[in-house]
Amino acid sequence: MHLRAVLLMLALVSPAFAMTAAAPAAAQAVQPELSPAVAAFSRSLRIAEMLDVMRAEGIAASSELSDSLFPGENVAAWATLVDNIYDLTKMQNRFDAALAQAVGDDPGTLASATAFFDSSLGQRIMIQEIEARRILLDKAAEAAAAVEWADAAADKSARAEQIIRFGAVNDLIESNVMGSLNANLAFYRGLSGTGGFGDPMPEDQMLAEVWGQEAEIRQETTDWLYPFLALAYQSLSDAELESYIAFSQTAAGIKINGAIFVAFDAVMVKVSSDLGQAAGRLMQGQDI
């Protein structure tokens, strides 16, 4: 239940990859009022804290991107635009609205999922996931986690096997790859629509460019995801992690996992589209 949107591969959604649409309709609708059940579930996931970390990840990635888009120019303007695009209130509103639409009229799923994530174990999991992402913002920490995971995987330790099974049960690699491809396509569309490529890039060319990144994104996702999971769950006992796996395999766990990816996809597709549009205007010297 994680989204690592590998954004902006010009230089980590829903499990189904629909690259023929600008964004899922659910991703664009922002409901004026949120049901208490959805609001309670969102709080149980600590979404505000998770989005804050994702904002930090995105700002760091966007800073690196500026070197290739407009080296030595528009640095301050781009930083301001990126800061505004990663608006936490708008991101959470979009997440919650898309989550509500993805879950639909299914109070049982929300009740079961909220009960799990509001439990002592569920809250420990959420807190540790957020903390692990914060830790991995540091490149040295990310490298150290990768080495530790590589050793565990090579030894085929029981915990490594459990982590791999957890990732498979929740379809984490595929869902993250699809989310990243959707986000990258949104960036291309935004960039093309505001003149970033000079002449507008044809849709089929954008699709080809994005699909051409799939193998690199899949590898980067895999390289990041397993060290992250190992770090996030290192303080859980095998039995506790097994409880998380067991919940993930329930009907409620499967449905809520898909809904969470739809909701994160809604957030990141919009952010990526806005970043592409902003970059295109800056490259064209337009007023923002």
Side-chain angles (χ1 to χ4, degrees):
M1 299 180 185
H2 321 268
L3 183 71
R4 169 63 171 178
V6 186
L7 298 175
L8 314 180
M9 297 294 289
L10 294 177
L12 121 180
V13 301
S14 61
F17 184 34
M19 291 185 64
T20 56
Q28 299 186 21
V30 178
Q31 298 175 354
E33 295 183 6
L34 199 63
S35 75
V38 173
F41 178 62
S42 182
R43 286 194 299 272
S44 76
L45 292 180
R46 296 178 171 261
I47 286 302
E49 297 170 61
M50 181 62 78
L51 290 174
D52 186 56
V53 181
M54 292 175 67
R55 181 180 190 275
E57 292 170 346
I59 288 174
S62 298
S63 177
E64 295 175 4
L65 180 67
S66 68
D67 294 336
S68 59
L69 289 179
F70 17 78
E73 300 177 0
N74 298 317
V75 174
W78 175 245
T80 298
L81 289 167
V82 169
D83 186 69
N84 291 335
I85 288 169
Y86 278 96
D87 182 285
L88 289 175
T89 298
K90 291 179 181 178
M91 291 169 70
Q92 175 146 12
N93 287 344
R94 187 164 288 109
F95 178 93
D96 288 341
L99 178 70
Q101 193 157 346
V103 173
D105 185 18
D106 188 354
T109 289
L110 283 172
S112 296
T114 302
F116 179 82
F117 288 106
D118 255 350
S119 69
S120 175
L121 174 60
Q123 284 301 288
R124 281 176 56 208
I125 289 168
M126 292 297 96
I127 290 169
Q128 289 168 197
E129 287 182 4
I130 292 164
E131 180 58 24
R133 288 188 79 139
R134 289 195 190 280
I135 290 171
L136 295 183
L137 286 168
D138 180 80
K139 295 297 184 183
E142 184 175 1
V147 170
E148 188 169 341
W149 167 254
D151 290 342
D155 292 341
K156 297 183 179 181
S157 69
R159 174 48 64 98
E161 295 296 326
Q162 197 177 28
I163 290 289
I164 291 169
R165 185 157 51 88
F166 175 86
V169 164
N170 286 287
D171 199 27
L172 295 184
I173 296 295
E174 203 64 32
S175 294
N176 276 285
V177 170
M178 295 303 103
S180 297
L181 291 171
N182 277 331
N184 284 357
L185 179 60
F187 183 85
Y188 271 94
R189 284 173 169 156
L191 192 64
S192 178
T194 51
F197 295 118
D199 295 331
M201 180 181 285
E203 182 75 5
D204 60 348
Q205 185 177 346
M206 283 191 284
L207 288 168
E209 290 282 348
V210 171
W211 272 115
Q213 301 164 3
E214 191 270 349
E216 182 181 357
I217 288 174
R218 184 174 297 277
Q219 187 62 57
E220 185 170 339
T221 299
T222 302
D223 290 345
W224 184 89
L225 181 68
Y226 290 120
F228 160 72
L229 294 175
L231 178 63
Y233 304 148
Q234 64 182 354
S235 69
L236 299 183
S237 68
D238 290 346
E240 287 171 332
L241 184 52
E242 202 61 41
S243 293
Y244 195 4
I245 293 172
F247 169 74
S248 300
Q249 292 175 307
T250 65
I254 292 167
K255 182 167 184 177
I256 207 66
N257 185 48
I260 289 170
F261 272 104
V262 168
F264 275 124
D265 193 51
V267 173
M268 300 315 300
V269 163
K270 175 59 175 170
V271 165
S272 296
S273 176
D274 289 348
L275 288 171
Q277 292 178 45
R281 291 191 182 103
L282 275 181
M283 293 167 74
Q284 294 298 308
Q286 299 176 24
D287 293 333
I288 304 297

